[in-house]
Amino acid sequence: MTDALPTIETLKDQARRLRKSLEQQGQSMSHAKALEAIAHQHGFKDWNTISARASNTPPLAPVYVGEAVTGIYLGQPFSGRVLGIYALPAHDRYRITLHFDEPVDVVTFDSFSAYRQRVKAVIDSRGTTQQKTSNGNPHLQLHL
C-alpha cells in the first residue's frame, strides 16, 4: 500500500479512464471490474478496502507537530514550533497552534506593546489565514 493515497474521486476517475482506454482498444470492462483493477494497482485486495482506506485518510496538513517554522504574524517576522495542527471539515482548512521562539510585539504603535508567544489560527494548505489585517495582509503567513 502506498502512503500517498488518492481521493475516492480520483480513484473513480482512474477507473473511468481505464474503461475508456480499453473501449478504444475494442475491449470492454464493467465499472465494477475497473474499480477492482484500480484497487489492485494501488496494492489493495479489492475496491471496498481501498474505498474505506481513502475515506479514512485525513488530508495532508502543510506542516506537522514539532516542526520548526518561520513566517509573518500580524506584520512581524517570527520563528517557532508547531504545537498542534488539526484538519477542519471545511476543505483546505487547518487549525494550528504555534509557539514562537521569542515573543512577538503585535502592536505597531511606538508607545504601546502587546507581546504574543503562543497563537492559534486557521490556515489553508499554503500556510495562510483567510483573515486579513486592515492593510490587506493575512494575519498569519507561514514560509513553507
Side-chain angles (χ1 to χ4, degrees):
M1 281 185 259
T2 175
D3 288 332
L5 189 61
T7 64
I8 288 179
E9 292 78 19
T10 301
L11 294 168
K12 287 180 179 179
D13 184 55
Q14 289 174 357
R16 282 189 286 276
R17 287 184 291 149
L18 173 61
R19 287 184 66 205
K20 185 176 181 180
S21 176
L22 288 173
E23 286 174 7
Q24 290 173 348
Q25 298 172 14
Q27 300 174 21
S28 66
M29 176 184 271
S30 71
H31 188 65
K33 291 234 185 250
L35 292 171
E36 295 293 321
I38 294 302
H40 294 146
Q41 286 178 353
H42 287 279
F44 290 83
K45 71 177 188 167
D46 58 27
W47 173 253
N48 289 338
T49 306
I50 194 171
S51 176
R53 174 71 163 79
S55 297
N56 291 326
T57 303
L60 296 176
V63 293
Y64 56 88
V65 173
E67 181 175 357
V69 292
T70 61
I72 304 291
Y73 178 67
L74 296 176
Q76 303 300 318
F78 73 87
S79 63
R81 292 225 175 259
V82 178
L83 293 182
I85 185 128
Y86 174 78
L88 297 173
H91 177 68
D92 192 37
R93 296 283 181 255
Y94 306 88
R95 182 176 299 121
I96 189 168
T97 303
L98 298 171
H99 184 81
F100 299 149
D101 295 335
E102 297 293 326
V104 172
D105 187 359
V106 297
V107 176
T108 56
F109 191 61
D110 290 338
S111 63
F112 177 71
S113 293
Y115 289 93
R116 302 260 168 77
Q117 192 162 21
R118 186 169 293 184
V119 297
K120 293 181 181 185
V122 175
I123 61 170
D124 60 20
S125 59
R126 297 174 319 217
T128 303
T129 59
Q130 197 171 30
Q131 294 77 20
K132 300 192 182 321
T133 60
S134 60
N135 63 3
N137 293 325
H139 283 194
L140 174 72
Q141 175 131 31
L142 299 176
H143 297 148
L144 301 178

